[in-house]
Amino acid sequence: MTRRRKLTGAVVGAVAGGAAVAVAAVVGLGSASSSAAGSGSGGGSPARLAVSDGYIPQPLLTDMAAAYLTVRNTGGGAAELTSVTTPLAAHVTLHTTVGTTMRQVMSLPVPAGGSLALGLGADHLMLENLTRRPAVGDKVTLTLHFTHATPATVTVTVPVRPTTYRPGG
């Protein structure tokens, strides 16, 4: 088993188990917010996206972290989050989590009139090959790339929180 898979397994255990020492980032009640209006798929009005409640817990590892946020779609058409870029990491991958199993996916849906909530023990972003280990209080820029939305990108700045931070707590 490669080092990366072992570390990913450790992250899954921390994320799925809700451990107090989370290796992954969690969506917080940060002030990051941005929006995009677009031509969503399906009928009705176009996808209208707003991103909020994002944060990254300070990672325990020097090369991997997770990020959480919420994407709301108030439009009548669905959109899909297809990728994320950030100066903090060489790669950002999209993951779903069911039970204790984390699986990388190519996209995450943002339903018409609904939301995509990325959070602890659920769908999330993995920031891999970090350029540096961020400190609590740092701000990190994330650029989210969508299909079926115009503009197709939304850029937000999210805070780095302590690893023990829990939204609403």
Side-chain angles (χ1 to χ4, degrees), residues 11-84:
V11 170
V12 171
V15 170
V21 181
V23 175
V26 182
V27 172
L29 300 175
S31 60
S33 177
S34 185
S35 64
S39 55
S41 64
S45 63
R48 287 192 313 256
L49 307 177
V51 179
S52 63
D53 301 335
Y55 80 90
I56 296 172
Q58 183 182 31
L60 298 176
L61 303 175
T62 58
D63 64 344
M64 187 181 301
Y68 300 93
L69 50 85
T70 300
V71 181
R72 288 181 181 75
N73 182 356
T74 58
E80 286 187 351
L81 176 62
T82 56
S83 66
V84 177

Side-chain angles (χ1 to χ4, degrees), residues 4-138:
R4 181 175 171 177
R5 286 194 179 174
K6 287 179 184 176
L7 290 174
T8 300
V11 170
V12 171
V15 170
V21 181
V23 175
V26 182
V27 172
L29 300 175
S31 60
S33 177
S34 185
S35 64
S39 55
S41 64
S45 63
R48 287 192 313 256
L49 307 177
V51 179
S52 63
D53 301 335
Y55 80 90
I56 296 172
Q58 183 182 31
L60 298 176
L61 303 175
T62 58
D63 64 344
M64 187 181 301
Y68 300 93
L69 50 85
T70 300
V71 181
R72 288 181 181 75
N73 182 356
T74 58
E80 286 187 351
L81 176 62
T82 56
S83 66
V84 177
T85 55
T86 178
L88 182 62
H91 307 284
V92 179
T93 54
L94 312 175
H95 289 87
T96 61
T97 303
V98 178
T100 59
T101 304
M102 178 175 73
R103 179 175 58 93
Q104 184 176 340
V105 295
M106 298 304 295
S107 65
L108 293 168
V110 187
S115 64
L116 168 63
L118 304 180
L120 182 62
D123 296 345
H124 59 280
L125 307 174
M126 291 300 302
L127 287 65
E128 301 170 4
N129 299 326
L130 298 180
T131 58
R132 62 181 176 80
R133 184 173 177 244
V136 172
D138 285 356

